[in-house]
Amino acid sequence: MVYGIGTDICDVRRIRASLERHGDRFAHKILAEGELATWRSRSARWPERGIRYLATRFSAKEAFSKAVGLGMRMPMTWRSCEIAKLPSGQPVLVLHGPLKEWFEAKGLVAHVTVTDETDYAASFVVVERKEPRE
């Protein structure tokens, strides 16, 4: 059963401006530890790719916060919600701390997709309540 749906479109230029204004502090506020490592690696090879990576993560976390109905209030925090990927490249949500506990206690499961183009990053999240096993 669908619990919630969230979508978000992020202007990559806005993320670029935030990085220019606040430096790495902005990325540290938004990204979990695993995401920070990927962001640093991508930014070192191709700075624009790093900016788009940060924009997709920002967008996916916004979409997730909408799908669960919390917005950006506890237990939802930027760093407690991580967008990782499977070996196939499929993005997956990895939750941490109180957000993970809250999510699991409600019996929820999430599906996420992200995409980016030159000026925009977009994400879509569907959260379902697990069906009880009979």
Side-chain angles (χ1 to χ4, degrees), residues 6-10 14 30 55-68 71-72 76 78 81 83 123 125:
T7 190
D8 189 75
I9 299 172
C10 176
R14 191 174 127 221
I30 303 302
T56 59
R57 273 42 194 181
F58 184 95
S59 174
K61 293 174 187 203
E62 284 279 339
F64 175 77
S65 73
K66 294 170 186 176
V68 294
M72 283 299 172
M76 176 65 196
W78 292 108
C81 178
I83 314 304
S123 302
V125 175

Side-chain angles (χ1 to χ4, degrees), residues 33-52:
E33 288 304 314
E35 294 168 319
L36 273 169
T38 301
W39 173 73
R40 285 184 186 114
S41 172
R42 289 184 182 193
S43 295
R45 286 194 312 265
W46 183 20
E48 188 60 29
R49 191 166 178 227
I51 292 168
R52 281 192 248 152

Side-chain angles (χ1 to χ4, degrees), residues 3 5 14 19 23 36 42 48 59 71 77 98 126 131:
Y3 180 86
I5 298 171
R14 191 174 127 221
L19 272 172
L36 273 169
R42 289 184 182 193
E48 188 60 29
S59 174
T77 66
V126 175
E131 295 296 323

